[in-house]
Amino acid sequence: MIVISILALAFYLLAITASLHLLLHPAQKGYRQLFACVALALTLHGVSLIEEVVTQSGQNLSLLNVASLVSLIINTFMTLVVRRFNGWVLLPVVYGFSSLLIVADTLIPSRFMTHLEAHPQLLLHIGLALLAYSVLSIASLFALQLAYLDYRLKSRKLTQLPSMPPLLTVERRLFQLMTTGLFLLTLSIASGLFFLQDMFAQGKSHKAILSIIAWCVYVLVLWGHHVHGWRGRKVVWLSLLGGFLLTLAYFGSRFVKEVILG
């Protein structure tokens, strides 16, 4: 497993180098090399995660394993849509974060055993929650990119990155991602309310409450944009707030239990 993780890390680092080269020199060819490295990195990352998560005694859904799974989903999505979304500047960020998680997961092994095969409804809920969080995390990255472009335009400074997309394109993609993520988050919350009787039990209620508050934030952003034409900083800050609330809901208590107290 360590060998596979090291190989995944190596190909991620090669992909970061290739994506930075294409970002700074978009006229040069190198797309095939980039996607070849990414394909190998994603495959090896997925294999290492399967070996780490799926065990004979159940599923090891530790904090680092779940975070690594989220990063794998984000990387796969970004790689597939990078040309359509013109998100080249975000590739080094998402690949770099996955590299750090692979290192952390290898150096700091942890266990949080579950038995999802006995509770398929829980598997559905967790799957929807991870997909929603992944899409809305990408939306947060686009919000940061939007904030940067907005700052550069208002200060009348042209960006030095040739591959930086137009501001309106980034804004349009942000709302598309937010709409998709909100739909998945709605399904996740609905599945929890329908299938999980202990969703608001002691020790778990904060996850449900923070997720619902985040849902309200995203609804507010989309409503404000479509009804009142909200744009710019207000949209950026609210979308980042929604992402922060979801991070607290999904990882906050687990971080305290597994890292600080464990």
Side-chain angles (χ1 to χ4, degrees), residues 199 201 203-211 248-249 252-254 257:
M199 189 172 177
K204 297 182 179 180
S205 60
H206 67 282
K207 297 180 182 179
I209 293 172
L210 287 173
S211 297
L248 282 181
S253 61
R254 294 283 296 276
K257 292 178 181 178

Side-chain angles (χ1 to χ4, degrees), residues 16-236:
I16 292 171
T17 303
S19 60
L20 286 173
H21 179 75
L22 286 174
L23 183 63
L24 297 173
H25 307 285
Q28 299 184 15
K29 296 181 179 180
Y31 297 105
R32 290 185 178 180
Q33 293 87 336
L34 169 62
F35 289 117
C37 290
V38 173
L40 289 170
L42 293 176
T43 301
L44 292 167
H45 190 176
V47 171
S48 66
L49 261 180
I50 291 174
E51 291 188 356
E52 181 66 25
V53 172
V54 181
T55 66
Q56 293 182 350
S57 56
Q59 296 79 42
N60 180 14
L61 296 183
S62 66
L63 177 67
L64 286 175
N65 283 346
V66 174
S68 188
L69 177 59
V70 169
S71 72
L72 179 61
I73 296 172
I74 291 174
N75 290 346
T76 303
F77 180 84
M78 285 298 301
T79 302
L80 292 175
V81 303
V82 63
R83 288 189 174 182
R84 180 182 176 185
F85 277 32
N86 198 359
W88 297 102
V89 70
L90 299 178
L91 290 186
V93 177
V94 297
Y95 295 158
F97 187 67
S98 292
S99 301
L100 292 175
L101 285 174
I102 289 175
V103 172
D105 204 13
T106 303
L107 298 179
I108 316 173
S110 56
R111 297 177 69 82
F112 187 89
M113 302 307 300
T114 59
H115 298 277
L116 297 178
E117 68 279 0
H119 305 282
Q121 68 275 14
L122 180 60
L123 177 60
L124 174 64
H125 173 69
I126 292 176
L128 289 170
L130 292 181
L131 285 175
Y133 182 76
S134 299
V135 173
L136 291 171
S137 294
I138 298 173
S140 295
L141 292 175
F142 271 79
L144 291 173
Q145 186 180 8
L146 179 64
Y148 173 75
L149 287 173
D150 186 60
Y151 165 76
R152 300 288 292 190
L153 288 174
K154 289 182 178 179
S155 59
R156 298 183 180 180
K157 297 178 181 178
L158 296 177
T159 178
Q160 297 178 351
L161 296 177
S163 295
M164 188 68 75
L167 183 143
L168 291 179
T169 299
V170 176
E171 184 181 72
R172 184 167 59 252
R173 300 309 184 195
L174 169 60
F175 287 113
Q176 290 175 348
L177 288 166
M178 203 178 301
T179 302
T180 303
L182 178 63
F183 174 72
L184 291 171
L185 183 59
T186 302
L187 293 179
S188 173
I189 294 174
S191 66
L193 293 172
F194 186 76
F195 292 121
L196 306 181
Q197 298 179 354
D198 61 344
M199 189 172 177
F200 290 95
Q202 186 175 3
K204 297 182 179 180
S205 60
H206 67 282
K207 297 180 182 179
I209 293 172
L210 287 173
S211 297
I212 292 172
I213 295 174
W215 183 89
C216 292
V217 170
Y218 286 117
V219 169
L220 176 64
V221 175
L222 293 174
W223 173 81
H225 173 69
H226 291 293
V227 177
H228 297 287
W230 289 0
R231 301 176 66 181
R233 291 184 179 179
K234 183 180 294 186
V235 169
V236 169

